[in-house]
């Protein structure tokens, strides 16, 4: 997907204002990830410019196995369509604390195409010192709303 220039351009252009609003609403950095095989690639990012930040540069590559955005691809992707994840799918988000990087917490939600296919993960991340051990309490509603808005634009 990331290698498909027209797809990447479409999602990045649609995501920019949503990420900006998400960062302004949460005072944390926000990102969009696309799956590439066994990895996820950050294709758009807006950095919180005040205080401690978690910076994920565009083009960063992470394995699917770690972090809330990685788990979005596993839980809503084809390989784990089983009842074990039904509750997570119903809540619409995944959180992570010090999973991908020490001291960083995140909450991510799936972005779907009009046909219902998972196409991206939208994420907000920041320091655990600010977000705590349950970042979903502060971020989940914002992330889910941003995911729905982006899904609607795509």
């Amino acid at each position: 997907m990331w290698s498909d220039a027209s797809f990447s351009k479409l999602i990045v252009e649609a995501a920019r204002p949503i990420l900006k609003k998400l960062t302004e609403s949460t005072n944390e950095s926000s990102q969009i990830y696309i799956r590439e095989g066994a990895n996820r690639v950050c294709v758009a990012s807006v950095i919180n410019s005040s205080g401690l930040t978690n910076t994920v540069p565009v083009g960063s590559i992470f394995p699917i196995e770690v972090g809330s955005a990685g788990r979005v691809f596993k839980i809503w992707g084809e390989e784990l369509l089983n009842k074990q994840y039904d509750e997570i799918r119903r809540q619409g988000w995944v959180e992570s604390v010090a999973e991908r990087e020490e001291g960083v917490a995140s909450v991510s939600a799936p972005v779907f195409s009009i046909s219902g296919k998972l196409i991206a993960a939208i994420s907000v991340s920041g320091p655990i010192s600010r977000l705590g051990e349950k970042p979903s309490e502060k971020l989940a509603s914002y992330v889910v709303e941003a995911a729905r808005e982006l899904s609607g634009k795509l």
Side-chain angles (χ1 to χ4, degrees):
M1 284 184 170
W2 175 237
S3 58
D4 179 348
S6 61
F7 175 78
S8 352
K9 184 177 180 183
L10 174 71
I11 194 162
V12 169
E13 287 179 7
R16 276 193 190 119
I18 295 169
L19 289 177
K20 186 175 187 293
K21 183 170 82 172
L22 185 57
T23 294
E24 288 170 356
S25 299
T26 62
N27 291 316
E28 302 298 345
S29 299
S30 58
Q31 307 85 32
I32 296 288
Y33 294 93
I34 301 294
R35 184 170 186 161
E36 272 295 316
N39 295 308
R40 59 185 164 104
V41 179
C42 179
V43 295
S45 179
V46 173
I47 299 167
N48 168 26
S49 59
S50 62
L52 294 172
T53 62
N54 174 52
T55 303
V56 180
V58 170
S60 295
I61 300 170
F62 302 105
I64 292 292
E65 289 76 31
V66 295
S68 63
R71 287 193 288 144
V72 163
F73 291 108
K74 292 188 76 73
I75 292 170
W76 278 271
E78 296 173 16
E79 68 266 16
L80 292 179
L81 288 178
N82 62 52
K83 293 182 186 292
Q84 177 184 356
Y85 296 101
D86 285 352
E87 182 57 36
I88 294 171
R89 288 187 198 99
R90 271 192 293 280
Q91 75 185 9
W93 52 266
V94 180
E95 71 182 340
S96 170
V97 177
E99 187 178 329
R100 178 184 59 82
E101 185 178 331
E102 192 67 32
V104 175
S106 66
V107 176
S108 299
V111 176
F112 298 103
S113 70
I114 195 164
S115 66
K117 181 180 179 196
L118 175 67
I119 55 172
I122 191 166
S123 183
V124 172
S125 58
I128 294 172
S129 61
R130 199 165 46 232
L131 295 175
E133 296 293 323
K134 288 286 201 181
S136 58
E137 292 174 354
K138 295 178 182 177
L139 303 175
S141 62
Y142 295 106
V143 175
V144 169
E145 177 57 35
R148 286 185 184 137
E149 185 178 351
L150 184 55
S151 293
K153 280 188 157 186
L154 300 174

